[in-house]
Amino acid sequence: MNRYISKYEIKNNNLNKLKVKINNKKFIKQELKNSKILLDNINGYSLDVKQRLAIITNEDNNLIIAGAGSGKTLTIVGKIRYLIERLNVSKEEILCISFTNDSVNSLKCALSKNYNYDLDIFTFHKLALNIIRSNNLDVKIAHQYDLEYIIDEFFYSNVPNLKILKKENINKYIHFKNLIITFINLFKSNNYKYDKFDEFLDGLKYCDDYIFIKVVRQIYLEYQAELKSKNEVDFNDMINNAINIVKNDGYIKQYKYIIIDEYQDTSLTKYELIKEIKRKTKAKLFAVGDDFQSIYRFTGCNLDIFLNFDKYYGFSKIMKIENTYRNSRELINIAGKFIMKNKKQMRKRLRSNKRLYKPLKIVYFKNQKSTFLKLLLKLYDEYKSSILILGRNNKDIYNVIDDNFKLMDDGKLIYTKNNYIHIRYLTMHKSKGLEDENVIIINLQNNNLGFPSKIESNKVLHYVLHENDYYPYEEERRLFYVALTRTKNNVYLLVNKDNPSIFVKELIKNYRLNIQIINELL
């Protein structure tokens, strides 16, 4: 008898699932119709079907995988409008988080200017500080150079003749100091406690790692004591302290929705903070990001949190928006195939209605500065529009400009012989989220400081670093993808023919039909 009851229950359960599926389709069709007028005009644009489906989907946990140039910000603005105007959620019940001050200010401006919305939009650090101060804890923000000062003081006190050593080996000392800073920041971004050092040291014999960790442990102890004595917190402790406050039932606004931009850059501590806020408020999560553009591993970013979203949050609805409105079909096909050489990336098929025959142009040079100037003037004559220059490192630009250029602090590049040419120089890391009419990529040479960078991370960092790389230059490949997809038109790769980047060689080998080779600019 039980066997037949079991069969009946299974059959009934399947029928219920089918009814839910049918009803869900009916609901989606009706909801798309009901929200049509609203979603026909978001910041002056009509959203596509996949953007609309992402917006009206309302599970407890939602991940929207948004390809480069696919209207990610429009989708976020659309979601906010949908919640407020369609679902009658109050502005006070929505929390928005992005990763940089610029992206936060941009979103605030769009919502305020177009819709007169004023809601909580924070960086993770500003959110954490807000939680700390909302719980009547008055703390100051530590200066970014405080840790450097503690390191210097430690070595002056413990290493005889440090001043002489620094003078003779200043670059080595700076590199070693930066390694300690990186280690401590990653240690804290994992929310590790002091006894984690003992775990690292357990079983280690007297070796380089053993000495380094013992030194770092003492510096960490002195740094934390210094922060405590001055009632200060650094950026990592802001988040860790906020986690503890929410975990111990401290005050947090009763949000109903949490919207996160650039979710692929999430660290373990940022995930833990969101998890605790969700636990306390029962808020629904709407996260948007692109694993193709995850380029901040050395700040604690853990791509696994994005790739295995449902493992971290439980049942989740994962959707994709795949129409790109920035890049041509030809360029996005090249960039997509290039990035998918990485084994652990979510497969997506970006589509574009824009066509450009050969959007990727390799410009070989004999004299780099002369060729760069000719290319710049050529683009200005043709397009009369702004130009974005991208390099791997901050100082790369000085290899291509002469005394007729002046670089400003904000990245603006002034050509003194023609002030009408609008030029910006940025590193590829800083360019994420931006776009321009045409892009020139420099420093595409095959050496340690070229692109991809061949400087390997110090092996001691494996104690605190999440190892996501399963393919050679995996993160550098993602960084190149970011650089390639900043353009609305063409990408110009400035290349030394005698020493080209391995990425340039790969592009020529695999995508020659969509690449224009320019041997000499006239």
Side-chain angles (χ1 to χ4, degrees):
M1 178 142 182
N2 287 339
R3 184 162 53 93
Y4 293 106
I5 293 172
S6 178
K7 277 186 176 180
Y8 173 79
E9 287 176 342
I10 291 170
K11 184 179 178 182
N12 195 46
N13 189 42
N14 287 339
L15 283 171
N16 287 335
K17 284 182 179 178
L18 183 62
K19 286 177 183 176
V20 168
K21 214 169 185 180
I22 292 168
N23 290 335
N24 192 40
K25 282 184 178 179
K26 287 181 179 178
F27 167 79
I28 288 171
K29 188 175 180 180
Q30 187 61 44
E31 192 60 17
L32 285 172
K33 184 178 179 181
N34 292 341
S35 58
K36 182 180 185 304
I37 295 174
L38 175 71
L39 301 180
D40 274 351
N41 185 4
I42 301 296
N43 290 358
Y45 295 91
S46 178
L47 300 190
D48 64 37
V49 173
K50 289 199 172 184
Q51 290 170 326
R52 292 171 190 243
L53 287 171
I55 286 168
I56 68 170
T57 300
N58 201 28
E59 298 291 348
D60 287 346
N61 305 296
N62 306 269
L63 176 64
I64 312 304
I65 303 168
S70 62
K72 173 170 58 70
T73 302
L74 281 180
T75 304
I76 289 172
V77 172
K79 182 71 176 182
I80 293 168
R81 281 196 68 195
Y82 177 78
L83 292 176
I84 293 171
E85 299 179 30
R86 175 77 183 137
L87 300 190
N88 296 317
V89 178
S90 73
K91 294 187 286 290
E92 291 75 22
E93 294 171 323
I94 302 172
L95 168 64
C96 288
I97 307 169
S98 194
F99 279 75
T100 67
N101 288 318
D102 286 345
S103 57
V104 163
N105 292 335
S106 176
L107 186 56
K108 277 184 177 179
C109 183
L111 290 170
S112 175
K113 180 181 176 182
N114 296 330
Y115 307 109
N116 199 28
Y117 290 166
D118 181 21
L119 53 136
D120 285 349
I121 308 175
F122 300 126
T123 63
F124 267 100
H125 295 112
K126 188 66 183 293
L127 168 64
L129 192 62
N130 183 271
I131 291 171
I132 292 169
R133 289 178 173 166
S134 295
N135 283 271
N136 301 316
L137 298 171
D138 185 26
V139 294
K140 294 175 284 186
I141 302 172
H143 196 280
Q144 60 175 328
Y145 296 116
D146 283 357
L147 180 52
E148 283 191 47
Y149 172 78
I150 294 295
I151 294 170
D152 285 338
E153 286 295 301
F154 174 85
F155 285 112
Y156 279 130
S157 302
N158 293 280
V159 180
N161 302 319
L162 179 66
K163 288 184 180 178
I164 298 171
L165 288 171
K166 275 185 69 179
K167 190 173 182 180
E168 294 177 351
N169 300 285
I170 185 66
N171 289 330
K172 284 185 180 180
Y173 178 73
I174 290 172
H175 176 75
F176 186 62
K177 184 163 68 171
N178 287 337
L179 181 61
I180 293 172
I181 291 169
T182 301
F183 192 99
I184 289 176
N185 282 331
L186 287 169
F187 184 91
K188 293 175 119 185
S189 77
N190 288 304
N191 203 7
Y192 290 152
K193 304 300 184 281
Y194 179 75
D195 57 7
K196 189 71 176 179
F197 285 111
D198 295 328
E199 188 178 315
F200 293 154
L201 291 167
D202 186 34
L204 269 181
K205 295 181 180 179
Y206 194 78
C207 62
D208 289 347
D209 283 9
Y210 181 87
I211 297 167
F212 179 83
I213 292 172
K214 289 272 282 190
V215 168
V216 172
R217 180 173 67 175
Q218 187 58 36
I219 291 171
Y220 170 86
L221 198 62
E222 293 179 15
Y223 176 54
Q224 292 302 102
E226 178 76 4
L227 291 177
K228 187 175 181 180
S229 71
K230 292 164 38 176
N231 193 34
E232 292 180 345
V233 291
D234 63 16
F235 285 134
N236 284 302
D237 282 338
M238 277 184 209
I239 294 178
N240 294 335
N241 291 355
I243 292 169
N244 293 332
I245 288 169
V246 181
K247 190 178 286 186
N248 293 314
D249 291 329
Y251 172 76
I252 180 76
K253 283 178 70 172
Q254 286 300 305
Y255 297 113
K256 286 187 177 178
Y257 286 87
I258 302 170
I259 298 172
I260 307 178
D261 191 11
E262 302 287 1
Y263 191 74
Q264 75 279 350
D265 295 330
T266 300
S267 66
L268 189 61
T269 49
K270 289 167 185 170
Y271 155 72
E272 287 178 352
L273 179 58
I274 295 304
K275 184 186 73 172
E276 289 302 326
I277 294 174
K278 278 178 59 62
R279 178 191 63 80
K280 186 81 182 290
T281 64
K282 309 302 181 193
K284 294 188 175 187
L285 175 62
F286 183 85
V288 185
D290 181 10
D291 57 299
F292 285 7
Q293 300 183 66
S294 177
I295 56 175
Y296 289 110
R297 188 162 61 106
F298 282 91
T299 64
C301 164
N302 184 349
L303 185 55
D304 187 65
I305 298 170
F306 186 96
L307 295 175
N308 295 293
F309 188 83
D310 51 358
K311 182 180 83 174
Y312 286 86
Y313 289 105
F315 176 77
S316 306
K317 183 68 174 178
I318 298 174
M319 307 177 75
K320 297 175 183 177
I321 51 177
E322 297 175 302
N323 291 325
T324 179
Y325 301 96
R326 179 193 302 149
N327 310 126
S328 66
R329 186 185 306 176
E330 291 77 8
L331 180 64
I332 208 66
N333 284 344
I334 293 172
K337 289 173 183 175
F338 177 84
I339 192 67
M340 284 308 298
K341 290 285 183 69
N342 287 350
K343 304 303 179 188
K344 290 196 72 176
Q345 303 285 174
M346 288 186 171
R347 189 163 294 279
K348 57 183 80 74
R349 291 185 178 180
L350 291 183
R351 302 174 184 85
S352 174
N353 290 325
K354 185 185 289 188
R355 304 299 304 268
L356 285 174
Y357 179 48
K358 292 190 176 184
L360 205 56
K361 303 182 186 299
I362 295 175
V363 182
Y364 287 121
F365 65 80
K366 291 180 181 177
N367 183 310
Q368 187 170 199
K369 292 183 179 181
S370 172
T371 303
F372 173 76
L373 179 57
K374 287 178 183 178
L375 178 57
L376 211 57
L377 296 176
K378 178 179 181 292
L379 289 178
Y380 176 69
D381 286 341
E382 285 185 15
Y383 290 93
K384 295 292 188 296
S385 61
S386 57
I387 303 162
L388 178 61
I389 318 297
L390 298 179
R392 178 62 181 79
N393 311 298
N394 285 317
K395 294 182 179 179
D396 289 348
I397 188 64
Y398 295 108
N399 294 322
V400 300
I401 60 175
D402 57 25
D403 294 339
N404 293 312
F405 289 90
K406 185 178 179 182
L407 181 64
M408 311 304 287
D409 290 339
D410 62 357
K412 185 178 180 182
L413 190 63
I414 298 172
Y415 180 50
T416 55
K417 291 188 174 182
N418 187 340
N419 292 327
Y420 293 104
I421 305 179
H422 296 287
I423 321 163
R424 283 185 300 172
Y425 173 69
L426 295 171
T427 63
M428 297 172 190
H429 281 95
K430 291 178 182 176
S431 73
K432 188 152 73 74
L434 303 177
E435 63 182 22
D436 220 314
E437 295 299 322
N438 289 285
V439 169
I440 300 173
I441 302 178
I442 60 176
N443 193 15
L444 290 167
Q445 55 188 337
N446 187 23
N447 59 33
N448 282 351
L449 293 175
F451 190 64
S453 171
K454 294 187 177 181
I455 299 175
E456 293 186 13
S457 61
N458 193 295
K459 291 181 180 178
V460 76
L461 292 178
H462 83 268
Y463 293 96
V464 288
L465 197 59
H466 294 282
E467 298 293 344
N468 289 320
D469 283 2
Y470 299 91
Y471 194 76
Y473 304 113
E474 183 172 312
E475 184 143 320
E476 292 289 292
R477 189 173 285 271
R478 288 195 289 268
L479 188 57
F480 195 42
Y481 175 86
V482 169
L484 290 175
T485 55
R486 296 310 94 198
T487 186
K488 294 180 183 178
N489 293 297
N490 298 308
V491 183
Y492 296 82
L493 309 182
L494 201 60
V495 178
N496 182 347
K497 195 170 187 176
D498 295 328
N499 187 33
S501 156
I502 60 172
F503 283 172
V504 172
K505 287 182 178 180
E506 182 180 327
L507 291 175
I508 293 172
K509 179 182 176 182
N510 296 331
Y511 316 109
R512 182 65 181 85
L513 291 176
N514 290 120
I515 297 174
Q516 180 183 358
I517 304 289
I518 303 173
N519 283 298
E520 187 63 35
L521 278 171
L522 301 177

